[in-house]
Amino acid sequence: MTLEPTRIRLARERAALSRSALAASLGICERELARAPEDLSLALADALDCAPQYFRLPATRGIDTERIFFRSPRRTSTAQKVAAAALGRNGVELYHLITRNFRLPQTEIPELCGFTPEDAAAQLRTEWDLGCGALPDLLHLLESHGVRVLSLPASLDAVKTFSFWEDGQAFIFLAAGSRNAQRLDMAHELGHLLMHSSLGENREQMATAEREADEFAARLLLPSLSLQVRVSDSLQIPQLLVLEEHFGAPATAILAHARACGLLGDGNYRWLSQELALEPAAGHQQLVSRVFSLVFPSLQLDHRASTARIARELGQTAAQIHELTFGQAFVVLDGGNLHQAGEGLRGHLRAL
């Protein structure tokens, strides 16, 4: 019996290893990777940081890189994009497992291709009944409208946040950062999902799309009416920091957007930017996913499905599941009353 070659390829791409490098590490020729025998599963798992079961799962492939919205497409190498696409498939498969056991909201994102960023932000606020003030917890808001948000492992920090559509569901992979920076990143990716689903591969189009997503994010987090009554040329750093907390947006983004809207002159913008640079950097605050905070404890209690067992079913390591879920899938020491790897999870629907 041979191992599934598409799984070997996907794990290799996720690890950013070439065929020749992987074959050399195993002491075999490249052609043998396509017909790798069962007894190579342990060596492959060790080389590619996954579980041996991964190579016995059905055929698959990474998400098409052309369909992924990368935060910095020009500065992201092909190898990094391919690794992100492979990670994207792992995230999709994790959510497939979750939706076999839980009923989650379907993605409810309006199609706003052709809208200006300003109009798209206003339309979304109307459709989601968000009013004209500061937004609530953006991660929870996205999850309540069916967006699947996962955390990006540190090994792919250079890729930054990215998003894509798959089977009618929207996915966002969020890089680490301060809470407000992450809110801005989520709003940016939401702008892509709303406005750019028909985007082509033209570099000029991609550059325009990035600028539009930036503007959408600023207008969504910093609504004009609310900003106008709080910002003027008399703005000082203490007031700016209060606004940062109120809107949940980075102070740098508030300054840039206020200047773009004509609420802040160039001179004051430069002075405040210089003063802001002297402020201590905000620490990273761990986001809490409402989906994962309900799903993993329930799987543990109702199904006795530990993170290790879930990882075995997906052919991933427990550490990888932990990394994808904002650290909410707990990693425990081996031992105790663990179930066998071959056991499946019982079906169980629970509304979130």
Side-chain angles (χ1 to χ4, degrees):
M1 180 178 175
T2 59
L3 302 175
E4 175 52 52
T6 61
R7 289 283 172 176
I8 297 174
R9 176 178 178 176
L10 194 65
R12 176 177 61 77
E13 290 173 342
R14 171 66 185 87
L17 275 178
S18 66
R19 283 172 55 88
S20 59
L22 176 59
S25 72
L26 298 173
I28 63 175
C29 67
E30 289 185 45
R31 285 177 299 182
E32 290 181 83
L33 285 176
R35 304 185 306 278
E38 181 81 17
D39 58 11
L40 269 181
S41 62
L42 288 175
L44 279 166
D46 185 58
L48 299 175
D49 190 26
C50 58
Q53 300 93 302
Y54 189 73
F55 309 113
R56 303 183 187 100
L57 295 174
T60 190
R61 58 177 297 181
I63 307 299
D64 292 336
T65 56
E66 296 82 5
R67 296 194 287 112
I68 297 178
F69 301 111
F70 288 103
R71 196 71 167 88
S72 304
R74 293 187 179 183
R75 293 191 294 273
T76 305
S77 69
T78 299
Q80 290 171 335
K81 289 179 179 179
V82 170
L87 177 72
R89 177 59 63 194
N90 288 349
V92 169
E93 292 184 346
L94 172 60
Y95 258 100
H96 282 168
L97 181 147
I98 290 172
T99 53
R100 289 206 310 267
N101 297 276
F102 297 85
R103 184 166 48 246
L104 301 182
Q106 293 297 304
T107 299
E108 299 172 343
I109 294 181
E111 173 63 69
L112 300 180
C113 291
F115 280 61
T116 66
E118 181 178 8
D119 290 343
Q123 182 66 24
L124 184 71
R125 278 182 169 268
T126 298
E127 294 205 17
W128 285 6
D129 195 23
L130 298 174
C132 59
L135 293 183
D137 187 302
L138 194 55
L139 175 55
H140 292 179
L141 180 65
L142 291 175
E143 289 179 330
S144 72
H145 288 276
V147 181
R148 279 61 166 136
V149 186
L150 301 105
S151 50
L152 194 65
S155 60
L156 282 176
D157 268 352
V159 175
K160 301 183 180 179
T161 299
F162 64 90
S163 60
F164 56 85
W165 286 95
E166 177 72 4
D167 296 330
Q169 301 296 324
F171 288 83
I172 294 176
F173 283 73
L174 187 63
S178 70
R179 181 178 291 270
N180 289 341
Q182 288 182 308
R183 278 170 61 90
L184 189 67
D185 284 343
M186 284 187 281
H188 177 101
E189 297 305 323
L190 179 58
H192 280 312
L193 296 167
L194 286 164
M195 299 186 295
H196 302 136
S197 60
S198 60
L199 182 68
E201 295 182 59
N202 182 281
R203 282 184 174 270
E204 198 170 302
Q205 285 183 322
M206 292 168 61
T208 299
E210 284 300 302
R211 290 193 296 271
E212 289 178 346
D214 280 341
E215 184 181 350
F216 170 86
R219 291 192 175 277
L220 182 66
L221 294 180
L222 305 166
S224 297
L225 288 177
S226 189
L227 199 63
Q228 285 171 8
V229 300
R230 292 175 169 85
V231 175
S232 69
D233 263 337
S234 64
L235 184 68
Q236 300 291 316
I237 289 294
Q239 296 167 302
L240 176 61
L241 296 179
V242 170
L243 291 179
E244 182 178 46
E245 182 67 24
H246 174 74
F247 286 111
T252 52
I254 295 173
L255 288 179
H257 189 55
R259 182 178 66 166
C261 293
L263 302 176
L264 198 64
D266 288 344
N268 276 4
Y269 168 80
R270 287 193 294 271
W271 178 77
L272 286 167
S273 296
Q274 291 167 359
E275 290 294 306
L276 185 62
L278 302 177
E279 293 291 318
H284 290 192
Q285 292 177 285
Q286 190 66 52
L287 294 180
V288 177
S289 160
R290 185 164 179 262
V291 170
F292 299 142
S293 66
L294 292 172
V295 161
F296 287 102
S298 180
L299 286 175
Q300 178 76 49
L301 291 173
D302 296 351
H303 304 281
R304 298 183 182 178
S306 66
T307 301
R309 180 181 160 195
I310 293 166
R312 286 195 298 269
E313 182 159 334
L314 294 172
Q316 301 179 38
T317 67
Q320 288 169 334
I321 302 298
H322 182 78
E323 287 181 322
L324 282 173
T325 58
F326 301 98
Q328 290 177 248
F330 296 115
V331 178
V332 297
L333 295 175
D334 287 336
N337 190 25
L338 292 179
H339 287 244
Q340 294 300 311
E343 291 181 319
L345 298 175
R346 291 183 288 116
H348 183 71
L349 294 180
R350 184 185 297 264
L352 294 183

